């Protein structure tokens, strides 16, 4: 965008949730979830091992089943999130998509605005999708809202979240001047790494949320 970019409405590139019959649908570059069966997920961060309980996918944070972190911290080559592994009875959540907001001037995200690239949820013992990617690029960046690239909510085992869920995504703030990062969440699932946040420029006071607590 030539000039300044002011974001006054929510923007969402979230992965689709799974159903009992099929995996979630990927949007804006996110990878589709697998239908019920033995699929280990899709995308560069998908697991390489199949399991009765779906393995979690990676992106900015690791997954399980030998799922590998991928992408670079500045998000020069924008990639969507990978999907988790299915179970024999349920489909897996889709990986979140990717957004690149660029302006020759300032980028201002107004209060009460959410920009998200969150992984899709799964059902039963299938795995969720990993968080996606969001890159902001401008002379100055001011986030007065909330930015999310979280993993979805994955497999349940005996009423508890699985210990090998999907990872959070990647968020990059690339500014030649100031970057107010503000409230950012790249949470992964239980016992799975949070995603990655990159800031280039002089950053102001920020509140970084990087785990589920």
């Amino acid at each position: 965008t030539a000039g300044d970019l002011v974001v006054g409405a929510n923007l969402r590139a979230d992965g689709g949730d799974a159903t009992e019959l099929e995996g979630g649908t990927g949007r804006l570059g996110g990878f589709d979830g697998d239908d019920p069966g033995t699929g280990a997920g899709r995308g560069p961060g998908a697991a390489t091992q199949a399991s009765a309980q779906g393995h979690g996918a990676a992106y900015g944070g690791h997954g399980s089943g030998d799922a590998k972190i991928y992408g670079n911290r500045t998000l020069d080559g924008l990639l969507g999130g990978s999907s988790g592994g299915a179970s024999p009875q349920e489909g897996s959540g889709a990986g979140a998509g990717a957004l690149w907001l660029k302006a020759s001037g300032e980028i201002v995200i107004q209060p009460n605005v959410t920009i998200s690239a969150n992984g899709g949820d799964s059902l039963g013992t299938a795995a969720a999708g990993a968080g996606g990617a969001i890159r902001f690029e401008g002379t100055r960046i001011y986030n007065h809202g909330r930015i999310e690239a979280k993993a979805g909510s994955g497999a349940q085992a005996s009423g508890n979240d699985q210990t090998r869920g999907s990872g959070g995504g990647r968020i990059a703030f690339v500014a030649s001047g100031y970057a107010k990062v503000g409230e950012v969440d790249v949470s992964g699932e239980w016992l799975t790494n949070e995603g990655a946040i990159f800031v280039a420029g002089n950053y102001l006071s920020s509140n970084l949320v990087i785990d589920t607590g």
Side-chain angles (χ1 to χ4, degrees):
T1 298
D4 297 337
L5 174 60
V6 179
V7 183
N10 296 336
L11 298 176
R12 300 194 182 276
D14 301 335
D17 297 339
T19 70
E20 292 181 356
L21 300 178
E22 58 187 13
T25 300
R27 305 182 181 97
L28 296 176
F31 290 87
D32 290 341
D34 279 334
D35 294 339
T38 58
R42 307 183 194 188
T48 60
Q49 304 170 13
S51 171
Q53 291 181 9
H55 279 297
Y59 193 1
H62 69 71
S64 63
D66 204 31
K68 298 292 196 301
I69 292 172
Y70 64 98
N72 61 44
R73 61 182 187 169
T74 61
L75 293 175
D76 294 327
L78 209 56
L79 294 169
S82 299
S83 61
S87 74
Q89 292 81 30
E90 299 98 5
S92 62
L99 296 170
W100 188 334
L101 279 69
K102 181 176 181 179
S104 61
E106 297 180 352
I107 297 176
V108 180
I109 300 155
Q110 294 185 330
N112 302 314
V113 168
T114 297
I115 300 176
S116 66
N118 297 329
D121 296 341
S122 63
L123 295 174
T125 56
I134 306 175
R135 174 181 162 117
F136 301 94
E137 182 179 353
T139 55
R140 289 172 294 276
I141 302 169
Y142 299 99
N143 174 27
H144 304 299
R146 181 176 173 83
I147 313 299
E148 299 177 348
K150 304 184 295 182
S153 178
Q156 303 285 310
S158 301
N160 298 313
D161 288 333
Q162 66 169 356
T163 59
R164 52 185 184 180
S166 294
R170 292 183 179 274
I171 297 174
F173 296 83
V174 181
S176 54
Y178 285 113
K180 179 182 178 181
V181 175
E183 189 170 358
V184 177
D185 190 344
V186 290
S187 300
E189 288 193 88
W190 179 246
L191 293 184
T192 297
N193 271 0
E194 67 277 359
I197 301 166
F198 173 78
V199 183
N202 299 308
Y203 58 92
L204 303 175
S205 59
S206 306
N207 177 22
L208 304 184
V209 181
I210 58 172
D211 61 32
T212 57

